[in-house]
């Protein structure tokens, strides 16, 4: 044992102490040393905790600064006021920001049973949020209008920014009543699918009662000598909004086609003219992708193209016999030519858009989250279609309530509000016609705040997916 420094060691300097006492002193020293080591570790953990807190706080501040700068940059580069508060919506919008100006003036050719009511709802909301005027009919309008005439237009408004209602397409009329620099677009659906949907929705089974949906369609074919349709006659009884409806909506001249010597040339000329007239043609079977393409071409924001399902039937009728499907396709041959032509152009346009499928995935996540925020359930609605039941928070947000409002009701509320011929005393009576808590009412159309961003609300307290 080296006792050179024994005087400095309390255990060794006093060699007269018993062994037991020395052991106690040694244990106490080891305990104190261990305690000091534990305290040092705790101090280091405390320092690390403070460090992690500072890192987290700094990260949150950086996110906030980024979001503020995002809104500032978008506001500088866009020609319309940005409605998003610093938050998720502004940040995600910046990820897909384009150097462009949003389309101010729009003509939408509303086709039958193609998802066009959802598009119209988007355009009605777009007009309300950005203070754009709609080219409307006088209150109360009718969905049966086919021909556009000045006498039917809203009192006190002969020109507007947007047209998105049913009418046989009249390019010259619309160009004269929609402000300059307008863009025109429409949407088409697979003609056989469109026929089946229209036959069910417009309740043609009541005109041709049978044991099954398919038998009702067969009875429709047998009843009117349709073998002469488009060969000797352009007229087709009970075919309105059903047979070749999309072609008619887009202004195709059925009578001219029947009388034409070269029918193939007649169709070819129509398709060529249509390609020059419509700036964009969307496809129902690729609905979400179509909306993202519309967003890019018209320089919209994600919030502008959100939607809730509308007029979707609960019971979807099926036809399986090849003969019946072939017969439908034969009658729908004009719409098939139209659909095939623009389905091809649609995919050519998609191929030009770099990163569009990544943007599609983001949009679908956003729309799903917004739907979860706005909707808490469903019920049977108009003509056996789905009707959403809004959540309490959804009923407080303009976008949620507006998305859930049937197009015809939405349009008539706008007509009642904007038609100078409607007397103020009549507005109270009109208001009583629209009391559904899950749809817009007259007071909301007149006064409800449009600036609250539904994407931010849906992703409240979240920074990213």
């Amino acid at each position: 044992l080296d006792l050179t420094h024994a005087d400095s060691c309390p255990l060794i300097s006093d060699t007269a102490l018993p062994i037991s006492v020395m052991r106690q002193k040694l244990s106490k020293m080891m305990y104190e040393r261990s305690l000091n080591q534990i305290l040092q570790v705790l101090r280091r953990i405390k320092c690390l905790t403070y460090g992690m807190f500072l890192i987290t706080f700094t990260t949150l501040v950086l996110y906030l600064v980024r979001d503020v700068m995002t809104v500032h940059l978008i506001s500088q580069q866009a020609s319309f006021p940005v409605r998003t508060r610093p938050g998720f919506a502004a940040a995600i919008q910046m990820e897909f920001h384009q150097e462009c100006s949003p389309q101010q003036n729009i003509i939408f050719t509303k086709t039958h049973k193609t998802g066009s009511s959802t598009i119209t709802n988007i355009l009605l909301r777009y007009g309300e949020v950005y203070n754009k005027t709609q080219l409307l009919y006088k209150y109360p309008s009718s969905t049966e209008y086919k021909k556009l005439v000045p006498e039917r237009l809203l009192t006190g408004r002969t020109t507007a920014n947007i047209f998105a209602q049913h009418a046989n397409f009249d390019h010259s009329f619309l160009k004269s009543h929609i402000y300059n620099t307008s863009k025109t677009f429409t949407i088409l659906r697979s003609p056989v699918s469109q026929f089946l949907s229209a036959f069910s929705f417009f309740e043609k089974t009541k005109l041709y009662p049978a044991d099954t949906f398919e038998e009702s369609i067969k009875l429709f074919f047998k009843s009117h000598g349709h073998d002469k349709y488009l060969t000797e006659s352009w007229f087709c009884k009970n075919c309105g909004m059903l047979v070749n409806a999309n072609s008619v909506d887009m202004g195709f001249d059925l009578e001219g086609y029947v009388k034409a010597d070269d029918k193939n040339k007649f169709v070819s000329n129509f398709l060529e003219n249509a390609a020059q007239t419509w700036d964009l043609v969307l496809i129902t079977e690729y609905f979400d992708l179509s909306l993202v393409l519309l967003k890019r071409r018209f320089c919209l924001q994600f919030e502008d193209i959100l939607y809730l399902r509308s007029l979707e039937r609960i019971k979807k009728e099926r036809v399986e016999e090849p003969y019946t499907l072939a017969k439908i396709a034969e009658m729908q041959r004009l719409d098939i030519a139209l659909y095939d032509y623009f389905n091809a152009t649609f995919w050519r346009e998609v191929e030009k858009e770099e990163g569009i499928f990544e943007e599609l995935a983001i949009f679908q996540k956003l729309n799903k989250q917004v739907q979860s925020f706005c909707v808490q359930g469903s019920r049977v609605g108009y003509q056996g279609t789905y009707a959403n039941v809004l959540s309490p928070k959804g009923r407080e947000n303009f976008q949620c309530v507006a998305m859930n409002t049937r197009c015809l009701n939405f349009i008539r509320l706008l007509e009642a509000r904007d038609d100078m011929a409607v007397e103020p005393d009549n507005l109270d009576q009109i208001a009583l016609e629209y009391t559904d808590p899950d749809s817009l009412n007259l007071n909301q159309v007149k006064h409800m705040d449009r600036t609250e961003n539904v994407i931010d609300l849906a992703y409240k307290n979240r920074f990213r997916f």
Side-chain angles (χ1 to χ4, degrees), residues 121-141:
N121 184 282
I122 286 172
L123 294 176
L124 294 175
R125 288 187 284 119
Y126 183 77
E128 288 298 290
V129 170
Y130 293 110
N131 197 28
K132 302 301 176 186
T133 55
Q134 304 279 346
L135 189 65
L136 300 169
Y137 299 129
K138 292 177 181 178
Y139 179 85
S141 63

